Amino acid sequence: MVQDVARQVAEQVRTGFGLRLSTMEPVTYGADQHARLWLAQTADGGRYAVKLSGGGTPAGLVVTAYLAEQGVPGIAAPLRAADGRMFVDHDGRRLSVVPWVSDRRALDGPMTGAHWRAYGEVLAAVHAVPVTDELSRLLPAGGAGYPSILTATRALAARLRDPDPADLADPLVAELAGAWSAVADRLEVLTREVEGRAVDQRDRPGATVVCHGDPHLGNLLLGADGQVWLIDWDDAVLAPPECDLMFVLGGVLAFAPITPEQQQAVLAGYGKVDIDPVRLAWFLAVRALDDFSDWTRQALDLDAEAADRDRAARIVRGLVSPMGLVTLADAALRDNDRWL
């Protein structure tokens, strides 16, 4: 079945994009449950990321094409299909092709000082592009999904406060019920503050720019001489710069913390910026609740593969660790002065 899908995709890449693929290797890392990705190669050695997307919109493709046209560094623009579009339809999903620019993920390192500086330069260049009418129509506002995130968080909290006794026979369910109980006070603070400060965020003065929305090190690729590429633009939004900069200043990945020296290198590449600590804390809190509830939901899925559930549970443990996002977001909301 997997090989059949790959053959069908390869044929559609040939007819839609004019590329004859000689190999297609599945890429298994990544958090998007609705997408499939292959590293594809042509006979002449060309390499491409072939992606089949089942959710969202093509906005990420539109954004990367626009950023590349604007000369933003570190952007791999999608190929155009024969009909001029940036994707073709495949069984109700979007099939897109982007040049494969590097095998080196920033998470795997090592990142040099030049890489950290280039990371900041790319973010600054993205934030500096004019927002077109098309992007205004296509891109959601950063953090706009917070009501559904709060609903999901409260539903999971209620479920884990009073779990089905039969479910508790599953070790991960029992562990997660304990984890949520241990951070119940933090979750109450986060949900209350996110909801209470939402209107203030809309009314708060500040620029609204194109943001990647998820520019953590897992979406950063490394090249020679300090070059970097920012990939996976499916979560692109229109938001204040803090929506992206929280990944540098807030410490979003517990297993890959960014040191003060690395932060300074990023900011040196980014240039002058006035961080709003209140806004930064709000975006951190929204992200913390989203990650915590979503990864918990995946770990609780008794029908999922054991390896997938275990991975989700590991991420949940990291989120509530001393360096985890739930901990950091709670501290940021309690003491905004720390970000000044």
Side-chain angles (χ1 to χ4, degrees):
M1 177 65 177
V2 173
Q3 291 180 339
D4 288 342
V5 172
R7 279 195 294 268
Q8 294 167 8
V9 168
E11 175 60 20
Q12 193 141 21
V13 169
R14 184 188 69 80
T15 58
F17 293 92
L19 290 176
R20 294 181 179 273
L21 304 179
S22 56
T23 62
M24 288 183 66
E25 178 183 344
V27 178
T28 56
Y29 54 76
D32 188 349
Q33 295 179 300
H34 305 290
R36 301 182 70 170
L37 180 67
W38 292 268
L39 166 55
Q41 187 164 321
T42 57
D44 62 1
R47 300 201 303 166
Y48 300 89
V50 175
K51 187 173 184 179
L52 198 56
S53 301
T57 72
L61 298 171
V62 175
V63 170
T64 50
Y66 172 65
L67 293 175
E69 291 169 0
Q70 293 292 306
V72 174
I75 304 298
L79 272 61
R80 297 275 181 174
D83 61 5
R85 294 187 301 164
M86 288 168 280
F87 66 93
V88 296
D89 298 315
H90 180 84
D91 290 338
R93 293 186 283 180
R94 292 185 308 280
L95 178 60
S96 59
V97 181
V98 177
W100 187 277
V101 291
S102 175
D103 294 319
R104 296 174 57 199
R105 292 197 304 161
L107 278 180
D108 302 326
M111 282 183 71
T112 65
H115 284 127
W116 287 108
R117 185 181 181 93
Y119 180 21
E121 291 171 349
V122 169
L123 289 177
V126 170
H127 296 168
V129 298
V131 177
T132 65
D133 290 341
E134 182 181 26
L135 293 183
S136 295
R137 290 193 304 270
L138 284 176
L139 297 184
Y146 81 89
S148 61
I149 294 170
L150 295 181
T151 298
T153 302
R154 287 169 173 149
L156 279 170
R159 174 182 173 185
L160 290 171
R161 273 197 306 269
D162 187 23
D164 189 310
D167 289 343
L168 286 175
D170 181 272
L172 280 185
V173 174
E175 177 191 343
L176 292 169
W180 277 65
S181 176
V183 297
D185 290 344
R186 291 185 202 166
L187 291 178
E188 184 178 351
V189 169
L190 293 178
T191 53
R192 183 179 66 245
E193 293 298 317
V194 164
E195 191 166 46
R197 298 186 187 194
V199 173
D200 176 62
Q201 297 309 308
R202 290 195 297 268
D203 297 339
R204 213 169 175 79
T208 296
V209 300
V210 175
C211 285
H212 180 281
D214 199 25
H216 57 69
L217 299 187
N219 286 330
L220 195 69
L221 301 179
L222 307 181
D225 302 322
Q227 187 174 10
V228 300
W229 290 270
L230 191 54
I231 62 170
D232 197 352
W233 287 78
D234 291 344
D235 294 322
V237 293
L238 294 179
E242 286 86 354
C243 183
D244 277 347
L245 292 175
M246 71 171 173
F247 289 83
V248 176
L249 302 176
V252 171
L253 300 181
F255 57 89
I258 298 178
T259 68
E261 294 76 17
Q262 292 163 347
Q263 290 178 359
Q264 289 305 310
V266 177
L267 293 177
Y270 189 90
K272 181 176 174 55
V273 59
D274 293 321
I275 300 297
D276 182 331
V278 175
R279 180 178 286 128
L280 185 69
W282 189 82
F283 278 116
L284 277 171
V286 172
R287 177 68 184 224
L289 292 176
D290 193 15
D291 279 3
F292 196 49
S293 60
D294 188 53
W295 288 111
T296 298
R297 176 188 58 77
Q298 294 183 48
L300 290 174
D301 185 358
L302 301 180
D303 295 326
E305 295 290 336
D308 293 335
R309 295 187 65 211
D310 287 341
R311 175 178 179 243
R314 286 197 302 274
I315 293 173
V316 171
R317 294 182 200 112
L319 288 166
V320 296
S321 70
M323 289 299 296
L325 184 54
V326 170
T327 305
L328 297 175
D330 176 55
L333 284 171
R334 292 177 185 272
D335 185 11
N336 282 314
D337 288 343
R338 67 181 293 187
W339 302 113
L340 290 173

